[in-house]
Amino acid sequence: MEKKNVLSGIQPSGIITLGNYVGALRNWAKLQTDDRFCFYCVANLHAMTVRQDPEVFRQRTIEAAALLLACGIDPKRSALFIQSSVHEHAELSWVLNCSTYMGELNRMTQFKDKSAKHADNINAGLFTYPVLMAADILLYQASYVPVGHDQKQHVEIARDIAERFNKLYGETFVIPEPFIPKVGGRIMSLQDPTKKMSKSDPNPSSFIAITDEPNVILKKFKRAVTDSEARIAYNENQPGIANLLSIYSIFTGKTIEEALEIFDGMGYGQLKVATAEAVIEELTPIREEYNRILADRVYLEGVLNEGARQAAAVAEKTLHNVYAKTGLGSFFA
Ligand code: TRP
């Protein structure tokens, strides 16, 4: 059986929210089936586009890897590695930079958002960030890239770059497809349900971190902003209630219609508590496993070394081919 490759990455940026979990991580473990091979990386090179304190940065990178394992990435079936441990990412990224247009990068909405947010540090890395991401994907000949909605545009530019390169130099890269979850693509802020849940929100009550303790999760849900309609319904005019209902539905596997039936005639407080309980039930084993793995540095180091070795074996082959095709290598072949 010819296996299809999957690749995805997550930035080690400290807090991983319920939004990141539902939008991406939760699906990563599920993609580990017999007909696929998954490469999952901690995208620390990407995280460098904003300023990092080296010691904190190193620690967060390790924590992100531990969290991925806790979310069900199985190192016996998948390669879990740290992006900077496989030097081919940075090398392919340079080559692809030379096949990417400024105009294309200028259109990336994340670049526009991030440069507005970090106006004092609009570095070239922030601009070419999608090219590095294309390198991550294309090095592994990935057919599928599981990502949240916000990364769709980046996967599309990776496709464009791959197609352009293949046309110019001959078939080199598999053309990747984004793999975006249908349910619960967007989890909204608990304090302003018209905005996406974000770890950079100054009010920590607005987001759930996947490592939050159960009592903290309960408290945040109890404080969630709702409305004064006093009626549990799923519509645009009640974004807070709609958000709670969709979180409830995602974490219980029930449909919105079923949830509406269950909560018919009940108060907002009951919906909040039930939603918190469903989230706590799924996140508790993850948090416990995370703490256990994080304390076992020897195990973690072993997994990441082996993951990097497996990743490098594939990345090396692709880069070798790219160098041969472009005239950067194979001089006396
Ligand atoms: N840019 C992605 C994010 O912020 C993380 C990422 C880095 C990624 N490299 C990747 C995602 C490759 C998918 C594939 O969420």
PDB file of all heavy atoms in Angstrom, residues 7-9 11 43 46 129 133 136-137 145 147 151, ligand 1:
ATOM      1  N   LEU A   7       1.705  16.387   6.750  1.00  0.00           N
ATOM      2  CA  LEU A   7       2.606  17.210   7.543  1.00  0.00           C
ATOM      3  C   LEU A   7       1.835  18.352   8.169  1.00  0.00           C
ATOM      4  O   LEU A   7       0.966  18.956   7.533  1.00  0.00           O
ATOM      5  CB  LEU A   7       3.737  17.829   6.707  1.00  0.00           C
ATOM      6  CG  LEU A   7       4.567  18.784   7.615  1.00  0.00           C
ATOM      7  CD1 LEU A   7       6.021  18.468   7.608  1.00  0.00           C
ATOM      8  CD2 LEU A   7       4.283  20.240   7.360  1.00  0.00           C
ATOM      9  N   SER A   8       2.157  18.632   9.429  1.00  0.00           N
ATOM     10  CA  SER A   8       1.668  19.865  10.015  1.00  0.00           C
ATOM     11  C   SER A   8       2.648  20.360  11.056  1.00  0.00           C
ATOM     12  O   SER A   8       3.580  19.648  11.436  1.00  0.00           O
ATOM     13  CB  SER A   8       0.266  19.712  10.604  1.00  0.00           C
ATOM     14  OG  SER A   8      -0.307  21.006  10.744  1.00  0.00           O
ATOM     15  N   GLY A   9       2.436  21.593  11.473  1.00  0.00           N
ATOM     16  CA  GLY A   9       3.332  22.189  12.457  1.00  0.00           C
ATOM     17  C   GLY A   9       2.555  23.093  13.379  1.00  0.00           C
ATOM     18  O   GLY A   9       1.458  23.550  13.055  1.00  0.00           O
ATOM     19  N   GLN A  11       3.381  26.376  16.263  1.00  0.00           N
ATOM     20  CA  GLN A  11       4.404  27.234  16.843  1.00  0.00           C
ATOM     21  C   GLN A  11       4.469  27.059  18.353  1.00  0.00           C
ATOM     22  O   GLN A  11       3.425  26.953  18.992  1.00  0.00           O
ATOM     23  CB  GLN A  11       4.086  28.693  16.553  1.00  0.00           C
ATOM     24  CG  GLN A  11       4.225  29.038  15.099  1.00  0.00           C
ATOM     25  CD  GLN A  11       4.240  30.535  14.911  1.00  0.00           C
ATOM     26  OE1 GLN A  11       5.028  31.241  15.544  1.00  0.00           O
ATOM     27  NE2 GLN A  11       3.374  31.027  14.065  1.00  0.00           N
ATOM     28  N   ALA A  43       7.208  24.163  15.144  1.00  0.00           N
ATOM     29  CA  ALA A  43       7.739  25.141  14.191  1.00  0.00           C
ATOM     30  C   ALA A  43       8.440  26.284  14.920  1.00  0.00           C
ATOM     31  O   ALA A  43       7.952  27.413  14.968  1.00  0.00           O
ATOM     32  CB  ALA A  43       6.625  25.645  13.294  1.00  0.00           C
ATOM     33  N   HIS A  46       9.551  29.313  12.749  1.00  0.00           N
ATOM     34  CA  HIS A  46       8.466  30.266  12.515  1.00  0.00           C
ATOM     35  C   HIS A  46       8.271  31.194  13.708  1.00  0.00           C
ATOM     36  O   HIS A  46       7.998  32.376  13.550  1.00  0.00           O
ATOM     37  CB  HIS A  46       7.147  29.530  12.227  1.00  0.00           C
ATOM     38  CG  HIS A  46       7.036  29.061  10.820  1.00  0.00           C
ATOM     39  ND1 HIS A  46       7.269  27.765  10.445  1.00  0.00           N
ATOM     40  CD2 HIS A  46       6.744  29.731   9.682  1.00  0.00           C
ATOM     41  CE1 HIS A  46       7.120  27.660   9.138  1.00  0.00           C
ATOM     42  NE2 HIS A  46       6.793  28.831   8.647  1.00  0.00           N
ATOM     43  N   TYR A 129       7.624  34.185   5.944  1.00  0.00           N
ATOM     44  CA  TYR A 129       7.078  33.107   6.777  1.00  0.00           C
ATOM     45  C   TYR A 129       6.331  32.034   5.952  1.00  0.00           C
ATOM     46  O   TYR A 129       6.564  30.835   6.123  1.00  0.00           O
ATOM     47  CB  TYR A 129       6.182  33.800   7.797  1.00  0.00           C
ATOM     48  CG  TYR A 129       5.395  32.996   8.770  1.00  0.00           C
ATOM     49  CD1 TYR A 129       5.679  33.062  10.139  1.00  0.00           C
ATOM     50  CD2 TYR A 129       4.318  32.207   8.377  1.00  0.00           C
ATOM     51  CE1 TYR A 129       4.917  32.377  11.064  1.00  0.00           C
ATOM     52  CE2 TYR A 129       3.564  31.504   9.299  1.00  0.00           C
ATOM     53  CZ  TYR A 129       3.868  31.598  10.634  1.00  0.00           C
ATOM     54  OH  TYR A 129       3.111  30.911  11.545  1.00  0.00           O
ATOM     55  N   MET A 133       7.002  27.880   5.513  1.00  0.00           N
ATOM     56  CA  MET A 133       5.926  26.909   5.721  1.00  0.00           C
ATOM     57  C   MET A 133       5.762  26.024   4.481  1.00  0.00           C
ATOM     58  O   MET A 133       5.532  24.816   4.597  1.00  0.00           O
ATOM     59  CB  MET A 133       4.632  27.653   6.059  1.00  0.00           C
ATOM     60  CG  MET A 133       3.531  26.739   6.506  1.00  0.00           C
ATOM     61  SD  MET A 133       2.242  27.660   7.361  1.00  0.00           S
ATOM     62  CE  MET A 133       0.830  26.683   6.866  1.00  0.00           C
ATOM     63  N   ASP A 136       8.407  23.441   4.710  1.00  0.00           N
ATOM     64  CA  ASP A 136       8.029  22.390   5.672  1.00  0.00           C
ATOM     65  C   ASP A 136       7.174  21.329   4.973  1.00  0.00           C
ATOM     66  O   ASP A 136       7.372  20.134   5.137  1.00  0.00           O
ATOM     67  CB  ASP A 136       7.152  22.950   6.811  1.00  0.00           C
ATOM     68  CG  ASP A 136       7.842  23.993   7.665  1.00  0.00           C
ATOM     69  OD1 ASP A 136       9.072  24.102   7.597  1.00  0.00           O
ATOM     70  OD2 ASP A 136       7.118  24.703   8.408  1.00  0.00           O
ATOM     71  N   ILE A 137       6.217  21.822   4.228  1.00  0.00           N
ATOM     72  CA  ILE A 137       5.232  20.922   3.615  1.00  0.00           C
ATOM     73  C   ILE A 137       5.854  20.142   2.456  1.00  0.00           C
ATOM     74  O   ILE A 137       5.736  18.922   2.367  1.00  0.00           O
ATOM     75  CB  ILE A 137       4.018  21.743   3.105  1.00  0.00           C
ATOM     76  CG1 ILE A 137       3.314  22.436   4.281  1.00  0.00           C
ATOM     77  CG2 ILE A 137       3.059  20.871   2.311  1.00  0.00           C
ATOM     78  CD1 ILE A 137       2.318  23.522   3.867  1.00  0.00           C
ATOM     79  N   VAL A 145      -2.364  18.559   4.610  1.00  0.00           N
ATOM     80  CA  VAL A 145      -1.841  19.461   5.634  1.00  0.00           C
ATOM     81  C   VAL A 145      -2.989  19.863   6.557  1.00  0.00           C
ATOM     82  O   VAL A 145      -3.781  20.748   6.225  1.00  0.00           O
ATOM     83  CB  VAL A 145      -1.210  20.718   4.992  1.00  0.00           C
ATOM     84  CG1 VAL A 145      -0.558  21.590   6.050  1.00  0.00           C
ATOM     85  CG2 VAL A 145      -0.196  20.336   3.915  1.00  0.00           C
ATOM     86  N   VAL A 147      -4.745  21.850   9.106  1.00  0.00           N
ATOM     87  CA  VAL A 147      -4.537  23.172   9.712  1.00  0.00           C
ATOM     88  C   VAL A 147      -5.875  23.788  10.088  1.00  0.00           C
ATOM     89  O   VAL A 147      -6.921  23.351   9.621  1.00  0.00           O
ATOM     90  CB  VAL A 147      -3.839  24.153   8.737  1.00  0.00           C
ATOM     91  CG1 VAL A 147      -2.359  23.886   8.628  1.00  0.00           C
ATOM     92  CG2 VAL A 147      -4.499  24.157   7.366  1.00  0.00           C
ATOM     93  N   GLN A 151      -4.848  29.183   8.502  1.00  0.00           N
ATOM     94  CA  GLN A 151      -3.643  28.802   7.753  1.00  0.00           C
ATOM     95  C   GLN A 151      -3.936  28.349   6.329  1.00  0.00           C
ATOM     96  O   GLN A 151      -3.046  27.941   5.596  1.00  0.00           O
ATOM     97  CB  GLN A 151      -2.897  27.683   8.488  1.00  0.00           C
ATOM     98  CG  GLN A 151      -2.380  28.085   9.855  1.00  0.00           C
ATOM     99  CD  GLN A 151      -1.350  29.196   9.742  1.00  0.00           C
ATOM    100  OE1 GLN A 151      -0.470  29.155   8.902  1.00  0.00           O
ATOM    101  NE2 GLN A 151      -1.476  30.203  10.597  1.00  0.00           N
TER     102      GLN A 151
HETATM  103  N1  TRP B   1       2.099  28.617  10.591  1.00  0.00           N
HETATM  104  C1  TRP B   1       1.415  27.616  11.323  1.00  0.00           C
HETATM  105  C2  TRP B   1       0.600  28.251  12.439  1.00  0.00           C
HETATM  106  O1  TRP B   1       0.966  29.285  12.937  1.00  0.00           O
HETATM  107  C3  TRP B   1       2.362  26.611  11.907  1.00  0.00           C
HETATM  108  C4  TRP B   1       3.111  25.870  10.842  1.00  0.00           C
HETATM  109  C5  TRP B   1       4.418  25.985  10.580  1.00  0.00           C
HETATM  110  C6  TRP B   1       2.579  24.924   9.942  1.00  0.00           C
HETATM  111  N2  TRP B   1       4.774  25.157   9.555  1.00  0.00           N
HETATM  112  C7  TRP B   1       3.676  24.484   9.146  1.00  0.00           C
HETATM  113  C8  TRP B   1       1.299  24.403   9.720  1.00  0.00           C
HETATM  114  C9  TRP B   1       3.488  23.575   8.121  1.00  0.00           C
HETATM  115  C10 TRP B   1       1.122  23.474   8.696  1.00  0.00           C
HETATM  116  C11 TRP B   1       2.226  23.070   7.902  1.00  0.00           C
HETATM  117  O2  TRP B   1      -0.385  27.694  12.858  1.00  0.00           O
END
